[in-house]
Amino acid sequence: MNKEVESLSKTLAWAVDSIAQCGPDDRKHIALAYWQAQELVANIPKDDDGDARPRILACFERSDACRAAKDIACVGWILTAIQERVNERNLPDWRKLRKVINKTLKMLPLSEPTVH
């Protein structure tokens, strides 16, 4: 197995496990972080090669900050980072990873956040 795919798979498994073990309030918190991450990446252009690396790095940076603060929101940020990488569609088995991501997202209360 490709080392990157293996690493993404392990991180995705950790995210699934984290979501499965938390309660409804934490799931809402993760979902909110996921939406914040989606908004952030939508405003970061891909680089000249169509590479999502700038988006991915921004999500990892936020995830690391959340994790350092012991904030479960790190899961939402990491899911977006993985999703951005998989959406480049140039990894072996990217379709399988995308299916796992989509199933994982169904574990979250992902209705569009309301703006006040």
Side-chain angles (χ1 to χ4, degrees):
M1 180 186 290
N2 173 300
K3 281 190 184 288
E4 185 180 11
V5 171
E6 185 177 340
S7 178
L8 287 172
S9 296
K10 285 179 181 176
T11 303
L12 193 51
W14 168 82
V16 170
D17 191 49
S18 296
I19 294 168
Q21 290 183 29
C22 70
D25 288 343
D26 282 344
R27 286 183 188 202
K28 285 180 190 172
H29 192 56
I30 293 168
L32 179 60
Y34 174 80
W35 282 120
Q36 290 171 339
Q38 291 294 305
E39 190 176 311
L40 177 72
V41 299
N43 291 308
I44 298 174
K46 292 185 178 181
D47 73 11
D48 295 339
D49 300 325
D51 188 342
R53 190 149 321 278
R55 295 174 170 190
I56 295 164
L57 292 174
C59 287
F60 271 116
E61 197 174 289
R62 294 292 285 273
S63 178
D64 289 348
C66 289
R67 192 179 297 192
K70 305 229 183 296
D71 184 348
I72 193 72
C74 64
V75 176
W77 289 96
I78 209 74
L79 279 172
T80 297
I82 294 170
Q83 191 174 39
E84 284 294 314
R85 179 62 185 102
V86 170
N87 285 345
E88 289 181 317
R89 299 180 179 185
N90 60 3
L91 288 168
D93 295 330
W94 67 267
R95 285 181 179 87
K96 290 179 184 174
L97 287 167
R98 186 172 62 183
K99 282 182 184 177
V100 175
I101 292 167
N102 290 338
K103 286 181 181 180
T104 303
L105 293 175
K106 288 179 181 173
M107 297 169 68
L108 296 173
L110 283 180
S111 57
E112 288 276 350
T114 54
V115 177
H116 298 279

